[in-house]
Amino acid sequence: MPEPITEQAERVVTLWQGSWVAAFAVGILVWGLIIWSVIAYRKRSEQLPPQVRYNMPIEALYTVLPIIVVSVLFYFTARDQTYLLETDEPADVYVDVNAFQWSWQFTYEDELDVNGNPVSVAGVPSTSKDELPVLVLPSDSVVHFDLEAPDVIHSFWIPAFAFKLDVIPGHPNEFQVKIKPGVEGDYEGRCAELCGYDHSRMLFTLRVVTPEEYRAWIEEQKANPQELPAVPDLEEEAPAPNPGPATATQDSSDTAATADDAATTAEEEDGQ
């Protein structure tokens, strides 16, 4: 796994490692019992060994032990999932993420440019790093993400976060992370949900900088707003009205009336 750059990612890595330890322990126990039974109860003669109907201690063991293992894994998973989705801590940076076919728009709602609009960065589908939208965040800071999509389901994924969350039209999602100090650099970001033709080019770059560099970048964006490419509006279009039975009946009546009028006109022309 990538080196985690957030406190939440460290929790995910710890859970992942613990799951592997539990899996190896169960595997060693099972294989050990299999090998022991093969050796201890191998065929020694033609005499049929004593036959038993059941063994209560063994049956109780292989019923209770799996329940204990699953319960322990469930507890740690539920505990860490709750921690990962906590959003109560006041954040230093708030970012609105607009995931659309097939790129990203990142809007810093609390930062207004010279035109009175929030500082925003958007991109176009591409595999060239120079053309990808760049999400700039400060290190040693709490960052809150609000996720929305105007078209289909996407998934916001930064591997260095060891975490991804679906972006669902009409159902905003949110999460936040605490970026660790000393992790400045560029990291890959992408959509992790098959979302259409250009899904493979729905990429972006996460750039972690020092808090001082972040403030300087924000001030530069405020003074010189970027010209954004065409970005779909998050406002959903009203669906077309669905004609009910009464409307359908009226339409049928109108159609029949029109047909009768046409027939009458044709008869009059033939009579003339």
Side-chain angles (χ1 to χ4, degrees):
M1 294 183 67
E3 186 70 22
I5 64 171
T6 69
E7 293 182 357
Q8 287 78 4
E10 288 185 340
R11 179 71 69 89
V12 173
V13 171
T14 301
L15 177 64
W16 180 75
Q17 293 171 338
S19 300
W20 273 108
V21 170
F24 276 121
V26 171
I28 291 171
L29 175 63
V30 171
W31 279 103
L33 291 173
I34 291 174
I35 295 171
W36 172 76
S37 62
V38 168
I39 296 174
Y41 297 102
R42 69 188 185 279
K43 183 177 180 180
R44 293 183 174 86
S45 67
E46 296 301 327
Q47 183 179 358
L48 189 65
Q51 303 298 296
V52 295
R53 293 178 60 187
Y54 52 82
N55 186 313
M56 286 300 295
I58 295 298
E59 291 185 12
L61 178 66
Y62 66 61
T63 300
V64 173
L65 191 58
I67 293 177
I68 294 175
V69 172
V70 171
S71 299
V72 171
L73 292 176
F74 177 82
Y75 165 76
F76 285 107
T77 301
R79 182 200 67 179
D80 291 350
Q81 177 177 289
T82 301
Y83 168 70
L84 293 174
L85 295 178
E86 287 180 354
T87 57
D88 296 334
E89 183 178 357
D92 302 302
V93 179
Y94 290 84
V95 180
D96 288 345
V97 178
N98 177 15
F100 58 91
Q101 290 179 315
W102 289 273
S103 193
W104 304 86
Q105 180 183 23
F106 306 114
T107 303
Y108 302 79
E109 284 292 346
D110 294 339
E111 308 290 350
L112 301 181
D113 61 25
V114 292
N115 299 319
N117 300 317
V119 171
S120 187
V121 176
V124 295
S126 178
T127 56
S128 172
K129 189 173 181 179
D130 295 335
E131 298 177 353
L132 299 181
V134 179
L135 172 61
V136 179
L137 297 175
S139 60
D140 195 20
S141 302
V142 177
V143 182
H144 183 100
F145 295 95
D146 288 301
L147 312 178
E148 295 185 90
D151 39 46
V152 301
I153 297 177
H154 303 277
S155 184
F156 182 74
W157 183 32
I158 299 173
F161 282 6
F163 180 85
K164 58 186 175 183
L165 191 63
D166 282 348
V167 190
I168 305 172
H171 297 275
N173 266 338
E174 63 177 349
F175 75 100
Q176 64 187 39
V177 296
K178 172 64 183 298
I179 301 179
K180 299 191 297 184
V183 294
E184 291 80 10
D186 286 359
Y187 302 89
E188 294 181 352
R190 63 193 63 186
C191 175
E193 184 81 25
L194 184 59
C195 58
Y197 177 76
D198 259 338
H199 162 72
S200 62
R201 300 202 299 161
M202 192 170 170
L203 311 173
F204 66 94
T205 298
L206 166 65
R207 179 165 297 157
V208 180
V209 297
T210 64
E212 294 76 18
E213 291 173 331
Y214 173 76
R215 288 311 315 170
W217 179 81
I218 284 291
E219 294 304 324
E220 173 65 22
Q221 299 303 308
K222 288 181 177 180
N224 302 285
Q226 292 188 18
E227 183 177 349
L228 302 179
V231 176
D233 193 354
L234 284 170
E235 294 295 331
E236 297 183 357
E237 296 183 0
N242 183 22
T247 305
T249 303
Q250 182 65 38
D251 290 344
S252 300
S253 301
D254 292 345
T255 302
T258 303
D260 291 341
D261 292 343
T264 302
T265 302
E267 290 176 357
E268 293 175 353
E269 291 178 351
D270 289 341
Q272 294 175 356

